[in-house]
Every structure is written in C-alpha cells, then in structure tokens.
Amino acid sequence: MEYEQLKLENQLCFPFYAVSRLIIRAYQEDLDALGLTYPQYLVLMVLWENDNVSVNTIAEKLILNTNTITPLLKRMEVSGLIIRHQSAEDQRKVIVSLTAKGTEFKVLAAEIPYKLIKKLKIEPQEEQIQEALILKKKLYELINLLENIEKQ
Amino acid sequence: MEYEQLKLENQLCFPFYAVSRLIIRAYQEDLDALGLTYPQYLVLMVLWENDNVSVNTIAEKLILNTNTITPLLKRMEVSGLIIRHQSAEDQRKVIVSLTAKGTEFKVLAAEIPYKLIKKLKIEPQEEQIQEALILKKKLYELINLLENIEKQ
DNA sequence: TTTAAATATATCGCACACGATATAAAATAG
DNA sequence: CTATTTTATATCGTGTGCGATATATTTAAA
C-alpha cells in the first residue's frame, strides 16, 4: 500500500513545523545574548505594544493557554522583565507590567529582526517584501481557519 | 519609540509558530484515537516509507536532534510501535524497525489527512491544490535557507 | 438573595525541543 | 599500528505546550 498522503514530502503540516522550529533556532543566538527565550520575546512584543494587560490578553494574542503562559510569566518575573499584580476592579485578573529592564530591552531587541535577515544572506527587494506580505496574509487566513475548528 | 519591526502583526516568525501549533492541535483528536503524539506520527511516516533505518536518518529527515529523537523512540518502543536493535556492520548505529502494530497503524493513519481537510470545512478545488503545492515549495525553500545558516 | 454558571488564573503531569556534555565505536592520521 | 579525530547515540537540565483539573471571583439566574 502506497498511501501518497502519508509521505512526509507530501505533507503541508511538516514543513510548517520545521520552519517554525528553524526560525526559533535562528533567533536563538540573538535572544541568548539578552537571556530571552523565543516565547518570552513574544510576550515582550505584546507588552511593548500594550503594557499593563491581563494574563488572558497575552494568552489570546499569542494563541497560548494559560497553563503555558502562567509559568512563563513567573520565570520572566524572576528574571526581572515584568511584574504581576492583581487587578483592583476584577480580583480574578492578574495584570502584567513591564519593569524598567523589560522596557529597556526594546531598544536592544529592535536589531533582532534585521540580524535574522542578515543571517539569511538575502537582500529583500520590493518584490520580495510584497511576496512576504502575501505569505503573511495567507498564514493569518490559515490561523483563522484553524482557530475556528475548535469552536465547533 | 515605535519600532514597527517589533510589532507582533508585522512578524513573519509568529504566524509560522502559531500555524504549526494550531495544525498539531487540529490533528490531536485523531492522533489521540491511535495513542500517538504528533512527532511520533512523523516518525511513523518516515518508517512507513523506509523501514529499518538508523536513528540519525530519522533525525535528519525530521530536522530534529538525537536528544529529542532518542527518548521519543524509547517511548514508541514501550508502546509497541517500533523496536530498536544495534546494527551488525556498525555497532554505533541503532536501527529502528516497525513492529506489526506499527505497520498496521498505516491503514488507520491513512484517513488522518482527509479528516483534517473535513475539519477545515474546505473542499479543495484544483486551483487551491495548486496553491497549496506552491506554498509547500516556498516552505521548503525557507527550510533550505534556514538550515544553511547553522553551517557557517 | 442564595444558587448556579461563567470567567480568570493556577497547578499537575507528560511529552517534546534543544544546548551542553558523555561514551563508545569506527575512521583516519602520523 | 597506535593516537587522534570523527561519528552515532545517549544523558542531563531547562523551558515550553497542552489536556485535565482545581480554586477563587464575578455574573447571572431562579
């Protein structure tokens, strides 16, 4: 029995899985220099855009469960990037805020995306930038499709 | 400071990371029915195409390190999907082989890719199939680009 | 207004991923 | 032919991810 649909090279899921891990590996060197992990870097990106948000807000933006986010935030609190405090209005909510260190890291992190492009040894032309934007749009269409499965 | 390149929505890395996890989540239900995890399913796909291969061959095909693969294979041996035995020619090599159970699972797993398409509620037309093939090609180009970073 | 349901976060257990390191066997160099 | 290097796999420690479950607070319902 051949089952073409079971061959690794015919899968769409596997290259997504591989690209995701390889991108994180590529970032690792620059993140290590800041003592960050990739998901911690994502949390910081959320906070740099909107500080003082609830645990749930971060979880929703990163499409992660609280059982992933909670210990992640605890480690980030230990390393002095953020602080967590209970909301006054709604005692169930835990508000996450950047520390001075967490805020300062934004300047250092700003170089990271450019460093990855340099590592890839590509010099994006207008055409390639447009292509990347189209790809990003398709990825978000896929995310929407995949997120709506669970709600059934 | 705005730093457009640090906004989550401007990242290409994040949607890759999200899509990868969401696809695995979508597979979970069908894999659970077989008592498999996603990486175990990938290992089986490698073995269904080429049985009796070394640990390293599997690691290379899945772009995983042996410190991930070794315990993964051990768990698969415990659950009776594979057996591992030392190679006669090269005593360093450990050859991984499918058991009867591991072989039989191929028939059961053959439905999984179709089930995902059903869950997504899409009915792929020729046009969309072509689009998926182009996307897959792009993903493999990216994998090549990302794999070659490390070799420098 | 007491009760039930929903919401927000945390805890537990298990299975990855991966950097760093160890160990044994094979290949190669001097 | 012995010493060195390389190759193949395994071990250890840390940090995710996530299903299942617990706990506290808020909201809604009877």
Side-chain angles (χ1 to χ4, degrees):
Chain A
M1 294 166 295
E2 269 306 315
Y3 294 133
E4 284 298 316
Q5 77 274 18
L6 285 179
K7 287 187 179 169
L8 199 65
E9 59 168 355
N10 291 336
Q11 300 292 319
L12 203 51
C13 61
F14 171 67
F16 273 119
Y17 166 74
V19 164
S20 173
R21 286 186 301 105
L22 287 170
I23 292 176
I24 293 173
R25 278 191 205 173
Y27 273 127
Q28 205 60 58
E29 192 188 339
D30 296 319
L31 292 175
D32 278 347
L34 298 179
L36 292 175
T37 64
Y38 180 70
Q40 287 175 9
Y41 173 57
L42 292 181
V43 169
L44 287 179
M45 282 201 282
V46 170
L47 292 173
W48 287 329
E49 271 194 79
N50 278 96
D51 201 359
N52 310 307
V53 292
S54 71
V55 171
N56 219 26
T57 302
I58 297 171
E60 273 171 25
K61 292 210 178 182
L62 301 182
I63 319 178
L64 287 167
N65 301 326
T66 59
N67 52 7
T68 298
I69 288 288
T70 298
L72 207 166
L73 292 175
K74 279 188 177 178
R75 284 185 289 268
M76 291 180 77
E77 191 163 32
V78 169
S79 57
L81 294 164
I82 58 159
I83 51 164
R84 298 178 308 151
H85 55 91
Q86 215 166 20
S87 165
E89 307 102 62
D90 189 337
Q91 301 252 304
R92 295 170 303 180
K93 286 189 180 172
V94 170
I95 304 299
V96 181
S97 307
L98 288 165
T99 60
K101 181 181 173 186
T103 306
E104 283 162 18
F105 266 38
K106 187 174 184 180
V107 184
L108 305 170
E111 289 303 308
I112 293 179
Y114 301 127
K115 282 183 181 171
L116 183 60
I117 291 168
K118 258 187 212 162
K119 277 187 190 172
L120 290 171
K121 293 192 174 171
I122 49 172
E123 302 206 4
Q125 307 298 309
E126 187 53 39
E127 194 192 321
Q128 285 159 304
I129 293 169
Q130 287 310 312
E131 231 180 84
L133 289 176
I134 291 167
L135 177 58
K136 184 157 68 74
K137 201 184 155 203
K138 272 192 194 160
L139 293 176
Y140 274 103
E141 282 168 13
L142 245 176
I143 288 171
N144 275 324
L145 215 62
L146 287 160
E147 275 199 292
N148 287 325
I149 290 179
E150 300 159 303
K151 292 171 188 165
Q152 284 151 22
Chain B
M1 295 166 292
E2 268 307 314
Y3 294 132
E4 283 298 317
Q5 76 275 21
L6 285 180
K7 287 187 179 171
L8 199 64
E9 59 167 355
N10 291 336
Q11 300 291 319
L12 203 49
C13 63
F14 170 66
F16 273 118
Y17 165 74
V19 165
S20 172
R21 287 185 301 103
L22 287 171
I23 292 176
I24 294 172
R25 277 191 205 174
Y27 272 126
Q28 206 60 58
E29 193 188 339
D30 296 320
L31 292 174
D32 278 348
L34 298 179
L36 292 174
T37 65
Y38 181 70
Q40 288 176 9
Y41 173 57
L42 292 181
V43 169
L44 287 179
M45 283 201 280
V46 170
L47 293 173
W48 288 328
E49 271 194 80
N50 278 96
D51 202 358
N52 310 306
V53 293
S54 72
V55 171
N56 220 25
T57 303
I58 297 172
E60 275 172 23
K61 291 211 179 184
L62 300 183
I63 319 176
L64 287 167
N65 301 325
T66 60
N67 51 8
T68 298
I69 287 287
T70 297
L72 207 166
L73 292 175
K74 280 189 178 178
R75 284 185 289 268
M76 290 179 78
E77 192 164 31
V78 169
S79 57
L81 293 164
I82 58 159
I83 51 165
R84 299 178 307 150
H85 56 93
Q86 217 167 19
S87 166
E89 306 103 64
D90 189 337
Q91 302 251 303
R92 292 170 304 180
K93 285 187 181 175
V94 170
I95 304 300
V96 180
S97 308
L98 287 166
T99 59
K101 181 181 174 185
T103 306
E104 285 161 18
F105 266 39
K106 189 175 183 181
V107 184
L108 304 170
E111 289 304 309
I112 293 179
Y114 300 127
K115 282 183 180 172
L116 183 59
I117 292 169
K118 256 187 216 164
K119 276 187 192 172
L120 290 171
K121 294 191 175 174
I122 49 173
E123 302 205 7
Q125 306 297 309
E126 187 55 38
E127 193 191 320
Q128 285 161 302
I129 293 170
Q130 287 308 313
E131 229 180 89
L133 289 176
I134 291 167
L135 177 58
K136 184 156 68 77
K137 201 183 152 201
K138 272 193 190 156
L139 293 176
Y140 275 103
E141 283 169 13
L142 244 177
I143 288 171
N144 275 325
L145 216 64
L146 287 160
E147 274 199 291
N148 289 327
I149 291 179
E150 299 159 302
K151 291 170 189 165
Q152 282 152 22

